[in-house]
mmCIF file of all heavy atoms in Angstrom:
data_model
loop_
_atom_site.group_PDB
_atom_site.id
_atom_site.type_symbol
_atom_site.label_atom_id
_atom_site.label_comp_id
_atom_site.label_asym_id
_atom_site.label_seq_id
_atom_site.Cartn_x
_atom_site.Cartn_y
_atom_site.Cartn_z
ATOM 1 N N ASN A 37 -1.793 140.251 44.034
ATOM 2 C CA ASN A 37 -2.313 139.860 45.343
ATOM 3 C C ASN A 37 -1.446 140.482 46.427
ATOM 4 O O ASN A 37 -0.224 140.447 46.335
ATOM 5 C CB ASN A 37 -2.251 138.316 45.439
ATOM 6 C CG ASN A 37 -3.230 137.738 46.426
ATOM 7 O OD1 ASN A 37 -3.993 138.454 47.051
ATOM 8 N ND2 ASN A 37 -3.215 136.424 46.560
ATOM 9 N N THR A 39 -1.471 141.897 50.920
ATOM 10 C CA THR A 39 -2.154 142.033 52.199
ATOM 11 C C THR A 39 -2.542 143.496 52.412
ATOM 12 O O THR A 39 -1.724 144.387 52.182
ATOM 13 C CB THR A 39 -1.217 141.566 53.334
ATOM 14 O OG1 THR A 39 -0.762 140.246 53.035
ATOM 15 C CG2 THR A 39 -1.913 141.567 54.673
ATOM 16 N N GLN A 84 -12.861 130.655 56.219
ATOM 17 C CA GLN A 84 -12.397 131.487 55.116
ATOM 18 C C GLN A 84 -13.580 132.174 54.443
ATOM 19 O O GLN A 84 -14.598 131.542 54.167
ATOM 20 C CB GLN A 84 -11.664 130.646 54.072
ATOM 21 C CG GLN A 84 -11.257 131.466 52.845
ATOM 22 C CD GLN A 84 -10.562 130.629 51.785
ATOM 23 O OE1 GLN A 84 -9.351 130.583 51.710
ATOM 24 N NE2 GLN A 84 -11.348 129.953 50.940
ATOM 25 N N ARG A 86 -14.316 134.424 51.026
ATOM 26 C CA ARG A 86 -13.835 134.977 49.755
ATOM 27 C C ARG A 86 -14.904 135.968 49.309
ATOM 28 O O ARG A 86 -16.040 135.588 49.035
ATOM 29 C CB ARG A 86 -13.675 133.869 48.717
ATOM 30 C CG ARG A 86 -12.637 132.827 49.114
ATOM 31 C CD ARG A 86 -12.597 131.670 48.143
ATOM 32 N NE ARG A 86 -12.286 132.122 46.790
ATOM 33 C CZ ARG A 86 -12.240 131.307 45.744
ATOM 34 N NH1 ARG A 86 -12.498 130.022 45.876
ATOM 35 N NH2 ARG A 86 -11.937 131.785 44.547
ATOM 36 N N LEU A 129 9.492 152.782 44.088
ATOM 37 C CA LEU A 129 10.541 153.490 43.353
ATOM 38 C C LEU A 129 11.882 153.093 43.969
ATOM 39 O O LEU A 129 11.945 152.751 45.150
ATOM 40 C CB LEU A 129 10.346 155.010 43.434
ATOM 41 C CG LEU A 129 9.266 155.606 42.538
ATOM 42 C CD1 LEU A 129 9.437 157.106 42.428
ATOM 43 C CD2 LEU A 129 9.274 154.992 41.142
ATOM 44 N N ASN A 191 -21.087 121.707 48.631
ATOM 45 C CA ASN A 191 -20.031 120.822 49.135
ATOM 46 C C ASN A 191 -18.755 121.617 49.412
ATOM 47 O O ASN A 191 -18.402 122.479 48.615
ATOM 48 C CB ASN A 191 -19.710 119.734 48.110
ATOM 49 C CG ASN A 191 -20.882 118.813 47.860
ATOM 50 O OD1 ASN A 191 -21.653 118.526 48.766
ATOM 51 N ND2 ASN A 191 -21.038 118.363 46.620
ATOM 52 N N ASN B 37 -9.355 134.496 44.482
ATOM 53 C CA ASN B 37 -8.362 134.451 45.551
ATOM 54 C C ASN B 37 -8.800 133.434 46.594
ATOM 55 O O ASN B 37 -9.967 133.415 46.976
ATOM 56 C CB ASN B 37 -8.268 135.846 46.196
ATOM 57 C CG ASN B 37 -6.946 136.115 46.868
ATOM 58 O OD1 ASN B 37 -6.055 135.272 46.865
ATOM 59 N ND2 ASN B 37 -6.816 137.295 47.445
ATOM 60 N N THR B 39 -7.205 130.565 49.977
ATOM 61 C CA THR B 39 -6.110 130.040 50.775
ATOM 62 C C THR B 39 -5.779 128.622 50.311
ATOM 63 O O THR B 39 -6.684 127.821 50.083
ATOM 64 C CB THR B 39 -6.522 130.018 52.258
ATOM 65 O OG1 THR B 39 -6.947 131.330 52.626
ATOM 66 C CG2 THR B 39 -5.381 129.598 53.153
ATOM 67 N N GLU B 73 -0.580 134.840 41.420
ATOM 68 C CA GLU B 73 0.292 135.484 42.413
ATOM 69 C C GLU B 73 -0.057 134.962 43.795
ATOM 70 O O GLU B 73 -1.216 135.003 44.220
ATOM 71 C CB GLU B 73 0.199 137.015 42.370
ATOM 72 C CG GLU B 73 1.234 137.657 43.323
ATOM 73 C CD GLU B 73 1.569 139.102 42.975
ATOM 74 O OE1 GLU B 73 2.447 139.312 42.124
ATOM 75 O OE2 GLU B 73 0.955 140.024 43.542
ATOM 76 N N GLN B 84 6.102 140.046 54.162
ATOM 77 C CA GLN B 84 5.197 139.622 53.090
ATOM 78 C C GLN B 84 6.002 139.289 51.841
ATOM 79 O O GLN B 84 6.878 140.051 51.446
ATOM 80 C CB GLN B 84 4.180 140.715 52.759
ATOM 81 C CG GLN B 84 3.281 140.343 51.575
ATOM 82 C CD GLN B 84 2.310 141.442 51.205
ATOM 83 O OE1 GLN B 84 1.158 141.433 51.619
ATOM 84 N NE2 GLN B 84 2.780 142.417 50.449
ATOM 85 N N ARG B 86 5.248 138.426 47.848
ATOM 86 C CA ARG B 86 4.287 138.311 46.742
ATOM 87 C C ARG B 86 5.042 137.597 45.617
ATOM 88 O O ARG B 86 6.012 138.143 45.090
ATOM 89 C CB ARG B 86 3.819 139.697 46.290
ATOM 90 C CG ARG B 86 3.083 140.448 47.381
ATOM 91 C CD ARG B 86 2.781 141.870 46.952
ATOM 92 N NE ARG B 86 1.947 141.895 45.754
ATOM 93 C CZ ARG B 86 1.567 143.013 45.131
ATOM 94 N NH1 ARG B 86 1.956 144.172 45.594
ATOM 95 N NH2 ARG B 86 0.819 142.949 44.060
ATOM 96 N N LEU B 129 -20.651 121.966 44.407
ATOM 97 C CA LEU B 129 -21.958 121.486 43.924
ATOM 98 C C LEU B 129 -22.928 121.553 45.101
ATOM 99 O O LEU B 129 -22.520 121.455 46.250
ATOM 100 C CB LEU B 129 -21.860 120.053 43.399
ATOM 101 C CG LEU B 129 -21.227 119.876 42.022
ATOM 102 C CD1 LEU B 129 -21.529 118.495 41.471
ATOM 103 C CD2 LEU B 129 -21.707 120.931 41.028
ATOM 104 N N ASN B 191 11.478 151.604 47.661
ATOM 105 C CA ASN B 191 10.760 152.192 48.786
ATOM 106 C C ASN B 191 9.621 151.260 49.221
ATOM 107 O O ASN B 191 8.932 150.717 48.377
ATOM 108 C CB ASN B 191 10.159 153.545 48.391
ATOM 109 C CG ASN B 191 11.213 154.576 48.054
ATOM 110 O OD1 ASN B 191 12.279 154.580 48.656
ATOM 111 N ND2 ASN B 191 10.927 155.429 47.089
#
Side-chain angles (χ1 to χ4, degrees):
Chain A
N37 204 1
T39 306
Q84 176 182 263
R86 297 174 59 183
L129 283 196
N191 296 326
Chain B
N37 205 1
T39 305
E73 186 159 275
Q84 176 182 263
R86 297 173 60 182
L129 284 195
N191 296 325

